[in-house]
Amino acid sequence: MRQLSCALNGAEPLLDELRSRLGDGVRVVRAPCMGGCDKAPVVAIGHALHEHATSGSVAAAVAAGAAHPAAPAYPGLDQYRAGGGYGLLRSCLSGARPVEE
């Protein structure tokens, strides 16, 4: 939390608030840029980035154990194919589309 976007969005006071609010059981350290300028201030909780951070939202995320990024709900293979996935490959393998294309 030390880059310009985070600093302009209150990272320094947030850092102090987190240290006092979270106590000795949680390590709070200054970190280099995390690449979330459009969502500043950004805090890393374990391996998860917490965007638009406030002391309350970070405390809640820490209490919930949100230390790993959430995996998106990817479609299964059948659902992907039903939505047109692998259509180009199928047309090439069937000969409907020349390989040169």
Side-chain angles (χ1 to χ4, degrees):
M1 294 190 305
R2 70 195 303 175
Q3 301 305 319
L4 184 58
S5 295
C6 284
L8 290 172
N9 284 284
E12 290 302 320
L14 177 59
L15 187 61
D16 294 336
E17 288 173 33
L18 290 175
R19 285 185 175 135
S20 63
R21 183 170 188 166
L22 298 176
D24 293 334
V26 177
R27 186 173 65 130
V28 178
V29 297
R30 184 181 306 274
C33 180
M34 294 179 213
C37 297
D38 59 323
K39 300 167 190 87
V42 178
V43 173
I45 303 170
H47 297 285
L49 294 183
H50 186 73
E51 301 159 338
H52 303 290
T54 65
S55 63
S57 65
V58 171
V62 168
H68 298 284
Y74 293 108
L77 181 59
D78 292 336
Q79 184 182 2
Y80 179 71
R81 285 181 171 168
Y86 295 120
L88 178 60
L89 176 62
R90 278 195 302 269
S91 66
C92 289
L93 293 176
S94 70
R97 181 181 295 255
V99 175
E100 292 79 23
E101 282 187 22

